[in-house]
Amino acid sequence: EVQLVQSGAEVKKPGESLKISCHVSGYNFAIYWIGWVRQMPGKGLEWMGIIYPADSDTTYSPSFQGQVTISADKSISTAYLQWSSLKASDTAIYFCARQNIGNAFDIWGQGTMVTVSS
Amino acid sequence: QSALTQPASVSGSPGQSLTISCTGISSDVGGYNYVSWYQQHPGEAPKLMIYDGTNRPSGVSYRFSGSKSGSTASLTISGLQAEDEADYFCSSHTRSNTWVFGGGTRLTVL
C-alpha cells in the first residue's frame, strides 16, 4: 500500500527552527516528485514547492522561495520541509503529496500541524 | 502568481447537478491541460478527483467530471449526494513550471 506518513504536530516559538518529515512507503520514492502544500487555519491550499528525490531537483513557489527549504533523503525514503526562523504567520497545516498521474497529487500525507506562538 | 478564481460557495439539493468553475489566465489554465481537482472534507487531507482536466482516477465516482474552455476549467457533480458536501480546490500547472491552487469552493448539500 502506498503511504505518506508525516511527523507529528509541533508547537514552536517565533525565531525557532523546525524540520518536519514525510516518510514514504509502498513505491520507489526516488522516481516520483514530492510536493508540499500549506493550509492556514480556515483557508485554502497553497502550493509551496516540489522535489525530485532521485537528484534533489527542487522548484519553489515564488511566495515560498527563500522562506523554506525542501529536501529529501533517498536512503530512508523521506522528504523534509524546514524553516530556519519561524514566524507566527507560519502557523498552518502542512501536507506532503506525491505527484503522479497528470502531474497531479494522487497520494497525500495526513498533514502536520505547526503552531508558532510566543 | 495569483490563485485561480473559484466561487466561494455553491449549494444544491440531493440529486441535482452543479458545476464549480476555476478561472485562470493564458499562462496557467489556458495554456496547459494539467488541471486537477481535489475534494477535502473537514479535518482530512485533500483527495484527487480529476486530473488532466477531464480524467478520473481509479475509484472516483463517475458522477464527477471535468472540462475546460479557454482559461476556465469546470468540475461538474451530477446526482448530488450528502457525502459530496466538502471543499473543492482546482489546481493548474503554470508557465513558471510551478503549480497554483484555486481559492476553494465550499459545496453545501441542502
Side-chain angles (χ1 to χ4, degrees), chain A residues 39 45 47 99 102-103 105 109, chain B residues 34 38 40 45-46 52 99 101:
Chain A
Q39 187 166 39
L45 305 177
W47 191 89
Q99 186 182 53
N103 292 299
F105 289 137
Chain B
Y34 292 140
Y38 301 88
Q40 187 181 34
D52 284 350
W99 275 256
F101 283 101

Side-chain angles (χ1 to χ4, degrees), chain A residues 33 36-37 39 42-48 50 59-63 95 99 101-111, chain B residues 1 34-36 38 40 43-48 50-52 56-58 87 89 91 96-104:
Chain A
W33 292 82
W36 288 93
V37 175
Q39 187 166 39
K43 301 298 184 183
L45 305 177
E46 299 173 88
W47 191 89
M48 301 177 71
I50 202 160
T59 300
Y60 293 92
S61 161
S63 299
F95 293 100
Q99 186 182 53
I101 47 175
N103 292 299
F105 289 137
D106 67 336
I107 307 292
W108 292 68
Q110 82 277 20
Chain B
Q1 64 213 26
Y34 292 140
V35 174
S36 48
Y38 301 88
Q40 187 181 34
E44 296 184 4
K47 174 187 176 183
L48 178 65
I50 296 288
Y51 67 94
D52 284 350
R56 275 190 314 275
S58 173
D87 293 326
F89 298 91
S91 180
S96 306
N97 200 31
T98 61
W99 275 256
V100 62
F101 283 101

